[in-house]
Amino acid sequence: MSRIQQVARALVAAEAERQAVARFTASWDEFSIDAGYRVQAANIEARILRGHRRVGVKLGLTSPSQRRRMGLVAPLTGILTDDMQLAEGLIVSSELIHPKVEPEIVFAMGEDLASGTVDVDAARRAVATVHAGIEVTDSRYIDFDFRLPDVVADNASSARFLVSPRGLDPAEIDLASERVTLMIDGEQVASSADDSEMVDPYLELALAANDLISRGEAIHAGDVVLSGALTKSERIFAGSLAVASFDRLGTAELRAV
Ligand code: OOG
Ligand code: MG
């Protein structure tokens, strides 16, 4: 079995058994981001063979300053499948290891971003509607302790996500100034105003699309795109209610049982 297959299987087992593992970069010096994407692709292919359907893409590390420190030019990406999408805002904690919630702007794509070089305007034009959402991340690594190759292999910590049904036309909303607060059990635990750096979600979409295209992948019409956390993420435990309140996009609510 190749090293890629070994890592892929270990991550599948960690998810299935809800047992976090140590990061692979601790014991495999040559583990690269590129190898991480090969692990990710192998596990998504396996998920699809098990009967799940690809529904979109998630972006991670969408803070430009954080990215510069890490020497990256584009956000990380993970692939979303239908079993990750929450029809109702309910997660079952016992199915997850140590879930965290983070508010995100979500795009429903109207057009493909599949070839050429995508600029910010092209990215915006390809979006059909903009929604409020909450991503539930659940790293398969102990204490969310990972380096870039590890987290890429782990499908960027993807676990569950919620998209509010009501969407706005991109022309109706200035996303660069859209703020959000995250409340857990009625207490504000995070706000995008805490973070002085403004992120342009359309620029992140364009950068991610170009990176996907360079890897032979694409964003497609009909895809859901989670555009990246707007606040720090917060642990959620059974019995708690998380509410993301956006200025104009409305609210998304998620309960953990
Ligand atoms: C990686 C996933 C990051 C985001 O929105 O930035 C992410 C992590 O677990 O930190 O989903
Ligand atoms: Mg996220």
Side-chain angles (χ1 to χ4, degrees):
M1 207 194 316
S2 74
R3 200 85 197 239
I4 299 281
Q5 283 171 312
Q6 281 174 20
V7 171
R9 286 192 190 183
L11 287 169
V12 169
E15 183 178 354
E17 292 156 20
R18 294 175 268 290
Q19 188 68 53
V21 294
R23 64 183 165 88
F24 302 102
T25 47
S27 55
W28 181 13
D29 291 340
E30 286 86 56
F31 194 21
S32 62
I33 292 180
D34 193 57
Y37 276 114
R38 274 183 280 149
V39 171
Q40 183 192 117
N43 279 346
I44 291 298
E45 200 180 316
R47 241 183 151 90
I48 288 168
L49 286 173
R50 289 200 300 273
H52 300 304
R53 192 167 49 85
R54 178 193 176 288
V55 294
V57 173
K58 66 159 282 183
L59 316 189
L61 220 67
T62 48
S63 146
S65 63
Q66 203 184 356
R67 244 190 347 252
R68 259 194 309 279
R69 275 199 300 281
M70 304 187 112
L72 279 181
V73 293
L76 304 177
T77 60
I79 302 295
L80 303 172
T81 52
D82 58 352
D83 53 314
M84 300 177 193
Q85 183 153 14
L86 302 167
E88 274 135 67
L90 209 63
I91 58 166
V92 180
S93 308
S94 62
E95 293 177 0
L96 300 165
I97 304 168
H98 41 200
K100 294 185 180 182
V101 287
E102 50 193 33
E104 302 208 11
I105 290 169
V106 182
F107 298 129
M109 300 304 298
E111 290 168 32
D112 288 356
L113 294 172
S115 62
T117 303
V118 177
D119 63 19
V120 184
D121 287 332
R124 188 188 300 106
R125 280 196 307 272
V127 171
T129 47
V130 184
H131 302 251
I134 297 178
E135 180 178 23
V136 181
T137 58
D138 193 33
S139 176
R140 268 56 65 170
Y141 299 108
I142 296 163
D143 296 335
F144 278 74
D145 173 25
F146 47 70
R147 301 290 181 268
L148 292 174
D150 304 296
V151 67
V152 165
D154 189 27
N155 200 27
S157 309
S158 302
R160 303 282 187 274
F161 67 95
L162 173 70
V163 184
S164 78
R166 191 183 70 100
L168 292 183
D169 187 299
E172 290 179 276
I173 179 166
D174 172 22
L175 290 188
S177 63
E178 182 72 1
R179 302 262 186 199
V180 62
T181 59
L182 177 63
M183 319 264 288
I184 294 187
D185 300 328
E187 199 176 312
Q188 184 175 317
V189 290
S191 159
S192 58
D194 299 344
D195 189 348
S196 54
E197 182 183 37
M198 284 310 294
V199 173
D200 177 356
Y202 294 119
L203 175 60
E204 297 305 313
L205 176 62
L207 292 170
N210 289 326
D211 194 60
L212 284 161
I213 291 166
S214 76
R215 289 189 271 112
E217 301 266 340
I219 290 171
H220 298 289
D223 275 1
V224 168
V225 177
L226 304 186
S227 71
L230 292 168
T231 70
K232 67 184 168 69
S233 57
E234 202 62 40
R235 267 292 265 126
I236 186 153
F237 297 93
S240 282
L241 174 72
V243 180
S245 301
F246 291 76
D247 290 341
R248 303 225 25 239
L249 288 173
T251 63
E253 288 195 16
L254 183 141
R255 186 173 287 284
V257 295

